[in-house]
Amino acid sequence: FKLSKLEEIYQAIPESFTSETQKWKDAYDSGDPMRCLEDIRKAPQSLKGLTQFQKLMVLRCVRPDRVLPAVLTYVTAEIGEK
């Protein structure tokens, strides 16, 4: 997990893969993993305090195939739908 080497805020994530395996598995298996990563009840504790953009970076590492729909949702939320 290379993000943990770039910024301190991501350092707890690799360890949480083993301590919160079920939450990561649920997010990975979800049709909308970004929603799982944003849900306080479903998200691993290591994501607490991350912005939505930072969670997109985590999603890119975990489920690169689901990044495009998540980015579209993010952009729509930030600048609106046209």
Side-chain angles (χ1 to χ4, degrees):
F1 193 79
K2 292 181 182 181
L3 281 178
S4 65
K5 295 177 183 175
L6 295 176
E7 294 215 22
E8 197 173 306
I9 195 161
Y10 300 110
Q11 287 183 347
I13 294 174
E15 184 179 307
S16 75
F17 288 138
T18 55
S19 64
E20 298 181 277
T21 304
Q22 190 58 50
K23 288 185 177 186
W24 283 108
K25 183 179 180 336
D26 291 345
Y28 184 84
D29 292 340
S30 173
D32 187 357
M34 189 63 180
R35 183 167 287 172
C36 290
L37 298 180
E38 292 175 328
D39 187 329
I40 294 169
R41 295 167 291 144
K42 295 179 181 179
Q45 285 296 108
S46 58
L47 300 184
K48 187 176 182 179
L50 295 182
T51 66
Q52 187 177 10
F53 184 78
Q54 290 167 326
K55 289 177 185 176
L56 277 171
M57 299 299 100
V58 172
L59 181 66
R60 170 68 177 83
C61 295
V62 178
R63 285 289 306 267
D65 61 313
R66 301 305 302 161
V67 171
L68 183 57
V71 167
L72 292 174
T73 301
Y74 174 78
V75 170
T76 300
E78 289 297 312
I79 64 172
E81 196 171 331
K82 291 188 177 191

